[in-house]
Amino acid sequence: MRAMSRWAGLAVVLAVLAPPLAAQNRRPADEVYERYNTPYDGRFTFARLRYDPLPGWAGGGGFFRGRDLKWDHDYPRAERNLMKLLSELTAIRPYMDGGNILAADDPRLFQYPIVYVSEPGFWTVSDKEAENLRSYLHKGGFLIFDDFVGPQWYNFAEKLQTVLPGAKLVPLDASHQIFHAFFDIEQLPTHHPYENITTEQAVYFGVFEDNDPAKRLMLIVNYNNDIGEYWEWSDQGFFPIDLSNEAYKLGINYIVYAMTH
């Protein structure tokens, strides 16, 4: 309850201090995705980072005009399902119909305390985007990296250094407070939804403010995992209920931790 009351106070502050939209900085490509976004109104809204995937990797079969853009994996069902559980289980009253799509250099990023990044193994980031993301993190923002496996780690780690030069990725175990922010997770989930993709178990990493584990966790990395996939298909019976439940526990804990730290 103490954490939820702190969140309520933070929501009021965000609503009052939210900066005006810098529409003049928007690019023509941004308008393609604006139809899927909802105007900022102070509610918690799931935000997803949009990026240009590595050259040659965008394929077919995705949500947007049949294109696989990598960052759009599991959109919008994953965020809709997660927000439904977040609303039912916590005192947070989020925007329920999906979430917003933002580029890394969008000034509106600062209106959203948490941003989800899918498929960072194909992530690209410009200098301008890196600068904006760096500022976002240093001002209290939180990133969730999800849905990548195996050698995709190397591209992710390289791009993260562009955003946070010198950042140290620290392995996290179940003792860290993020895994106890709402649910008490005593044993971290280790199953990728598609076990044939990787023989390695899921592991979790974080980057701390000033590389100091005693300070705030600025981001979390779900490596060899895809909790967004569990969220997306949790109402279809594709995966065991217990595994989907664990993915929801992680997502809700991430949100509560980020909103209270």
Side-chain angles (χ1 to χ4, degrees), residues 31-259:
E31 303 305 324
V32 174
Y33 303 102
E34 283 304 305
R35 72 188 71 176
Y36 302 101
N37 288 352
T38 186
Y40 177 82
D41 63 3
R43 284 181 294 176
F44 177 83
T45 301
F46 189 101
R48 179 183 288 260
L49 194 73
R50 175 172 63 82
Y51 58 85
D52 294 325
L54 288 172
W57 283 103
F63 179 86
F64 295 98
R65 300 179 182 177
R67 298 179 64 207
D68 176 7
L69 301 172
K70 303 303 181 186
W71 59 262
D72 64 338
H73 280 201
D74 309 316
Y75 176 91
R77 287 173 49 85
E79 35 265 71
R80 285 177 179 166
N81 290 340
L82 178 61
M83 292 304 98
K84 181 178 180 181
L85 267 291
L86 185 71
S87 176
E88 291 179 355
L89 297 174
T90 76
I92 300 173
R93 294 296 173 258
Y95 173 70
M96 298 291 290
D97 191 20
N100 285 0
I101 302 166
L102 299 168
D105 58 356
D106 193 320
R108 297 175 298 173
L109 201 69
F110 296 86
Q111 296 174 349
Y112 302 90
I114 301 159
V115 175
Y116 176 81
V117 188
S118 182
E119 291 274 5
F122 302 93
W123 178 32
T124 63
V125 58
S126 69
D127 290 343
K128 182 181 178 182
E129 290 172 332
E131 181 181 1
N132 201 52
L133 272 181
R134 188 180 311 121
S135 180
Y136 169 79
L137 290 167
H138 287 318
K139 290 184 178 181
F142 188 85
L143 296 178
I144 300 170
F145 290 95
D146 186 44
D147 190 4
F148 69 123
V149 299
Q152 295 170 7
W153 172 269
Y154 299 108
N155 179 69
F156 158 71
E158 176 186 325
K159 299 304 186 294
L160 183 63
Q161 288 298 313
T162 302
V163 175
L164 292 173
K168 296 180 180 178
L169 283 157
V170 179
L172 301 177
D173 60 30
S175 67
H176 191 272
Q177 56 187 310
I178 195 171
F179 301 116
H180 304 275
F182 188 84
F183 295 101
D184 281 317
I185 302 175
E186 303 297 342
Q187 184 173 352
L188 297 181
T190 60
H191 295 280
H192 190 285
Y194 302 108
E195 293 188 12
N196 61 325
I197 289 181
T198 175
T199 59
E200 300 294 329
Q201 292 187 331
V203 288
Y204 304 84
F205 294 85
V207 171
F208 293 91
E209 193 172 23
D210 299 325
N211 286 326
D212 183 351
K215 294 186 177 182
R216 179 179 67 94
L217 188 66
M218 297 194 295
L219 61 87
I220 194 159
V221 180
N222 307 318
Y223 176 53
N224 282 333
N225 204 350
D226 184 358
I227 64 174
E229 188 80 358
Y230 286 117
W231 300 341
E232 179 183 14
W233 301 111
S234 60
D235 59 349
Q236 301 296 309
F238 287 176
F239 305 115
I241 292 175
D242 58 337
L243 296 183
S244 295
N245 286 345
E246 292 304 311
Y248 277 121
K249 289 179 183 179
L250 288 174
I252 291 173
N253 273 26
Y254 294 169
I255 291 170
V256 172
Y257 174 89
M259 296 293 285

